[in-house]
Amino acid sequence: MEAASRVENLFDFRRLPTDGLILTLLLLYAPFGICLMLIRIFIGIHVFLVSSALPDNFIRRVIVRAMCSVLGMIVSQSDPKQRDKNVKTCMANHITQFDHNVLSFLAPCHTPLLEGRAGFVSWARGYMELGWIESRTRLAETLRGYNSLEGERTLLLFPEDEMTNGKVGLLKFSSWAFSINSTIQPVVLTVKRPFIAVSVVESSWLAELLWMFFIPFTIYQVRWLPSMSLMEGESEEEFAVRVQEHLAMELGIVSTHHTKSDKLEYLKRMKHVAPPETSSGTSSRPSGARPRTFLPGLSISSLSAEDIRIAGMAKQVKEVLPHIPINVIKMDLVSTKCVDTTITNLLEGRVEFSPEEVSASPSSCSLSNTPHAVPHNLAAAPKVPKAAPAPKTVSKMTFEKSPVDRHLSLQDRKDALYAYAKRRYIDKHGLPTESKESLDQEH
């Protein structure tokens, strides 16, 4: 449960294995894998042509399933008799880009396109284009109308709305999917593959397809569970939770409250946070090397305008508080979006951090010819004695018994930090001595 409480554990961010032995075996296999991939690309074109030419029936599904096994996509189901042909909606967990194709090999089903552009590519991938991608309410109404038609194929939905690694937990099921039909059939899907991860965050469907062609095989195991219906007095949200917990129990993982939005927020936050690097590691990096981010596979070259703005604000805060790690500053700026608020949070101890050593540089002691305005939060800092040449250091090894004494000790430390931050800023930007005296007189 503790591992599943963190959203990052639900996804794989690294394609290649970290184990040295497995990585060595993968490197030895690579020449054969590249040749196999080229052959399978040629065969895959024929599979697509055959699946497009043949009518949708049992014979077509058998032929396409056999041809896909040559491509390395091996599909098996535990008990085909468990599939209820009277149920018009199926719900499955989501692991790879090709889950809907795998299930369509076993049963006639359609999966609506929920994101991306409609067109030839989405049709070739086997999605049903109904429109209303931006509105789940309108899409649910359209799907209810589709389900009411006689003779139409079963509707296959993935209520997680996002792929996971299938190892730790399930994302929270969206309730809109359970408003289409009061009776659904849960489907358990597991995927296994040697050497590498079955799916990686921010990887395109084309990249996943090429990796599937490269690897010897990918095994999809499908298990049909008994149908479940909406109980009397039960809301759609409660029905979704009940189905989610049942699927999680069958998979041997946990049911979480994380959603697709939590994943996107985590990725956005981690793009701002670079791993801590030592000065020697920074200087030894080649001039043409690409900077690294916290998550493997996520490049800083894809940062948006907001990412650049956060980096600029973090630099301003770092100039004032050089002893605070840059990743801590960026993490707080993502939430506050304000330099003054972040400085206040750091000075008042609202953000936990481990101070880093500050090395004096000649540029920090040089005076600038152009005067700079003093930030508002520094101008409003508590009064600091004029004659103090260095920040006032307060370090007590004993815990004061009186609440008043403890408050005074905390206030002394805050005053010292404010004084040090203000002096640091004035020296950094070369403000004249008169400006420094006027700041002290204001307090």
Side-chain angles (χ1 to χ4, degrees), residues 370-432:
T370 306
H372 296 267
V374 179
H376 172 72
N377 64 305
L378 294 181
K383 181 178 180 180
V384 181
K386 212 166 94 172
K392 185 171 157 188
T393 305
V394 179
S395 177
K396 292 194 175 183
M397 301 301 296
T398 59
F399 185 76
E400 300 290 351
K401 296 181 180 180
S402 170
V404 177
D405 293 338
R406 289 198 297 270
H407 176 73
L408 290 176
S409 178
L410 174 62
Q411 188 62 39
D412 288 341
R413 289 194 296 270
K414 288 172 60 177
D415 291 346
L417 285 173
Y418 272 117
Y420 175 72
K422 183 169 65 176
R423 252 190 320 276
R424 176 78 179 178
Y425 186 87
I426 292 173
D427 294 339
K428 174 72 176 178
H429 297 286
L431 292 179

Side-chain angles (χ1 to χ4, degrees), residues 110-166:
H110 270 145
T111 301
L113 180 66
L114 299 181
E115 60 182 15
R117 294 183 179 181
F120 174 76
V121 174
S122 61
W123 170 81
R125 294 182 60 195
Y127 286 108
M128 180 176 60
E129 301 173 4
L130 296 176
W132 310 113
I133 295 178
E134 301 298 331
S135 174
R136 290 291 186 265
T137 303
R138 299 295 298 272
L139 179 62
E141 293 176 0
T142 305
L143 292 176
R144 279 194 292 269
Y146 172 85
N147 251 355
S148 63
L149 299 176
E150 293 292 336
E152 288 295 341
R153 301 172 70 177
T154 302
L155 195 62
L156 173 63
L157 299 176
F158 300 99
E160 291 178 283
D161 291 335
E162 187 60 62
M163 296 179 297
T164 66
N165 55 23

Side-chain angles (χ1 to χ4, degrees), residues 4 7 26 49 61 296 418 422:
V7 65
L26 180 61
L49 295 176
R61 289 195 295 273
Y418 272 117
K422 183 169 65 176

Side-chain angles (χ1 to χ4, degrees), residues 304-340:
S304 62
E306 183 181 357
D307 300 325
I308 298 174
R309 187 169 64 89
I310 291 290
M313 291 191 295
K315 184 178 179 181
Q316 296 178 28
V317 177
K318 185 69 174 177
E319 291 177 354
V320 178
L321 303 172
H323 62 287
I324 298 179
I326 190 67
N327 61 331
V328 176
I329 297 174
K330 288 183 178 180
M331 288 285 287
D332 192 69
L333 282 172
V334 170
S335 303
T336 63
K337 303 290 192 302
C338 177
V339 173
D340 292 345

